[in-house]
């Protein structure tokens, strides 16, 4: 068993003294920093303002989170509503009540023709879309064609609908057609294709005159 010598016994208290002085020095340095440092002085003198700022930031965070949650919910609901509306318009009962009789009429009256009922159906859709777009742009020819294809479609719906449902299907077709015709015939599109071409020609002429002056 090792017995401390007199020299080792004398060094032990010195080590404790150095450790105590080191700890006391650190505490003193921290106290001096807290007393003299500008940041510490600002925090000590304005602690209430800092607490209020933290509380305001917390409230702002909660408010922003609530707004984000509300906007996300509204977007999700709007997206679901648009999807449901699109599915109802494209594949809903109203659309099928008009398109199915037209398909049945075309399929039943294309025997012996090189084109099938499906070919005529695709042609009908292309013509329908082109005439409606032209009517929206103000084309007189397209507006006349839109009225003509509407009458032909109503007749096809009446003849191709199941027995006893022709008048109802034709009436539904007329109602939908008149609703779709409002933008084309109500004067909302006063700018015709000819006006657009004339405007482009006038713009090129003005640009040419401007270039010639330099």
């Amino acid at each position: 068993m090792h017995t401390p010598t007199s020299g080792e016994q004398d060094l032990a208290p010195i080590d404790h003294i150095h450790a105590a002085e080191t700890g006391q020095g650190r505490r003193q340095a921290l106290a001096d920093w807290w007393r003299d440092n500008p940041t510490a002085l600002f925090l000590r003198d304005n602690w209430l303002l800092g607490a209020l700022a933290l509380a305001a930031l917390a409230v702002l965070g909660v408010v922003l989170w609530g707004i984000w949650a509300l906007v996300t919910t509204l977007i999700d609901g709007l997206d679901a509503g648009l999807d449901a509306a699109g599915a109802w318009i494209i594949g809903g009962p109203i659309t099928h009540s008009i398109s199915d009789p037209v398909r049945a009429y075309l399929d039943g009256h294309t025997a012996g023709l090189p084109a099938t009922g499906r070919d005529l159906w695709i042609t009908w859709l292309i013509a329908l879309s082109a005439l409606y777009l032209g009517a929206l742009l103000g084309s007189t020819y397209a507006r006349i064609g839109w009225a003509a294809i509407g009458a032909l479609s109503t007749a096809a719906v009446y003849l191709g609908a199941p027995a006893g449902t022709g008048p109802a299907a034709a009436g539904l077709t007329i109602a939908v057609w008149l609703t779709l015709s409002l933008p084309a015939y109500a004067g909302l599109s006063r700018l015709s294709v000819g006006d657009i071409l004339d405007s482009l020609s006038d713009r090129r002429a003005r640009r040419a005159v401007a270039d010639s002056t330099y």
Side-chain angles (χ1 to χ4, degrees), residues 18-35:
H18 284 314
E21 289 178 351
T22 302
Q24 185 177 3
R26 291 175 179 173
R27 287 193 296 271
Q28 184 62 35
L30 182 60
D32 293 341
W33 179 85
W34 180 253
R35 184 180 64 253

Side-chain angles (χ1 to χ4, degrees), residues 55-196:
L57 287 176
V59 173
L60 179 61
V62 173
V63 171
L64 290 177
W65 180 85
I67 293 175
W68 177 82
L70 179 61
V71 171
T72 303
T73 303
L74 290 176
I75 292 176
D76 292 340
L78 181 61
D79 184 63
L82 290 176
D83 289 341
W88 185 82
I89 292 174
I90 295 175
I94 302 299
T95 303
H96 278 289
S97 296
I98 297 174
S99 62
D100 289 352
V102 174
R103 291 292 304 272
Y105 178 82
L106 294 177
D107 291 338
H109 292 80
T110 54
L113 291 178
T116 63
R118 183 176 181 275
D119 296 331
L120 296 182
W121 168 251
I122 294 174
T123 304
W124 181 83
L125 290 178
I126 294 174
L128 190 72
S129 302
L131 290 173
Y132 189 65
L133 180 60
L136 290 177
L137 292 176
S139 171
T140 303
Y141 170 80
R143 289 178 175 177
I144 295 174
W146 174 253
I149 200 171
L152 293 175
S153 299
T154 302
V157 169
Y158 180 83
L159 297 174
T165 62
L172 177 63
T173 304
I174 293 173
V176 172
W177 216 270
L178 291 176
T179 303
L180 294 175
S181 299
L182 285 176
Y185 293 105
L188 297 181
S189 301
R190 297 179 180 179
L191 189 64
S192 64
V193 177
D195 294 333
I196 296 174

